[in-house]
Amino acid sequence: MLKSVSENSRPEGQDLMPENYIFKESIGSPERTEIYSGFNNIIGCSEKIIEVFSIVEKVADCDSTIIINGETGTGKGLIAKAIHRNSLRKNKPFISINCGAIPENLLESELFGHTKGAFTGASASRPGKFQQASGGTIFLDEIGDMSHDLQVKVLRVLEEGEFEQVGGTKTIKADVRIISATHRDLDEEVQKGKFREDLFYRLFVIPLTLPPLRERKSDIPLLISYFLK
């Protein structure tokens, strides 16, 4: 999937390609050779996980979007928190939401908030996750499960830094860093028409792939030791 980001030619994403290349050049290959027994509550010393730690350290202070790809259980949420804790936004909120665990008709309100009377049961105005994360980081887990309509609204936040609440007309500025995650192959989802190509490129400024435990077996003794303490 990452190969397609750097090698495929897509007209709608051409304006974002230089930024993707710049970050890939700056990240490069990990130079650090220390053995980590723990990094921001993440346990591991294998070559693959050290590479992940190294990338996290290098990209934490920039404010670009990051997408974390990996199978269920690989620690995408932990990596997102580690990025936030090492960023310039670390003293501001870290807000996480699982886009695949909330029904579509409720997810928009959860993300953007709603005004009083916006729908049945909306007895008071309520801020959404983007407002709650103001100045900090919002983690959109399983963004690949998001509907096209909501993808458009998230794209607007990325492009223009603003949104409206459900039922509202006032434009609200969004000062947040967006980190997203998915277990899906979004490149394939784009090809199938299930995921917006323009949002794909906005999210894939810094792609990060997490290895499953079967590919980092040398970490198993460390994990056993940690959980037996």
Side-chain angles (χ1 to χ4, degrees):
M1 179 169 69
L2 299 186
K3 179 180 179 182
S4 65
V5 176
S6 60
E7 293 183 9
N8 285 1
S9 177
R10 294 194 173 121
E12 289 185 26
Q14 282 181 348
D15 58 327
L16 292 174
M17 296 300 280
E19 189 175 4
N20 291 348
Y21 280 128
I22 289 169
F23 275 109
K24 288 186 177 181
E25 286 295 321
S26 65
I27 292 170
S29 300
E31 299 172 355
R32 304 188 61 166
T33 57
E34 303 101 303
I35 299 299
Y36 292 81
S37 59
F39 176 81
N40 287 259
N41 298 321
I42 306 168
I43 306 299
C45 66
S46 64
E47 181 179 347
K48 288 192 174 183
I49 202 65
I50 289 176
E51 181 178 358
V52 171
F53 295 160
S54 178
I55 293 173
V56 167
E57 289 182 319
K58 290 177 180 178
V59 304
D61 279 348
C62 73
D63 221 25
S64 294
T65 55
I66 295 177
I67 187 160
I68 306 169
N69 187 269
E71 298 175 11
T72 300
T74 50
K76 296 185 289 293
L78 289 175
I79 290 295
K81 288 179 182 177
I83 293 169
H84 175 72
R85 289 195 193 106
N86 288 275
S87 75
L88 299 176
R89 294 176 179 264
K90 62 185 176 183
N91 294 321
K92 297 294 183 178
F94 174 85
I95 302 296
S96 176
I97 181 169
N98 188 325
C99 301
I102 301 173
E104 182 182 344
N105 62 328
L106 298 178
L107 184 56
E108 182 178 4
S109 175
E110 285 293 316
L111 288 171
F112 304 107
H114 63 257
T115 60
K116 181 179 179 180
F119 49 82
T120 302
S123 57
S125 296
R126 180 174 175 271
K129 301 297 186 184
F130 276 101
Q131 284 173 276
Q132 294 172 30
S134 182
T137 302
I138 186 168
F139 175 51
L140 304 177
D141 197 8
E142 297 304 345
I143 195 169
D145 294 345
M146 187 178 287
S147 70
H148 265 246
D149 288 342
L150 283 181
Q151 288 175 33
V152 172
K153 295 179 183 292
V154 172
L155 179 64
R156 183 186 174 199
V157 175
L158 283 166
E159 291 183 336
E160 303 174 20
E162 60 186 31
F163 63 91
E164 284 90 33
Q165 291 182 312
V166 176
T169 57
K170 179 183 177 182
T171 298
I172 299 171
K173 293 295 182 181
D175 175 22
V176 294
R177 182 187 195 175
I178 296 178
I179 300 176
S180 58
T182 182
H183 71 282
R184 298 179 183 274
D185 184 337
L186 290 189
D187 193 15
E188 183 177 324
E189 296 293 295
V190 169
Q191 300 297 329
K192 293 178 179 178
K194 295 182 179 180
F195 199 84
R196 290 184 62 94
E197 188 173 33
D198 44 9
L199 179 57
F200 175 92
Y201 277 100
R202 290 290 175 185
L203 295 174
F204 270 77
V205 174
I206 304 177
L208 180 58
T209 299
L210 301 190
L213 189 58
R214 65 178 176 275
E215 294 180 7
R216 36 181 288 231
K217 294 179 180 179
S218 59
D219 290 335
I220 293 176
L222 274 177
L223 291 166
I224 291 174
S225 176
Y226 174 80
F227 286 113
L228 287 179
K229 284 182 180 179

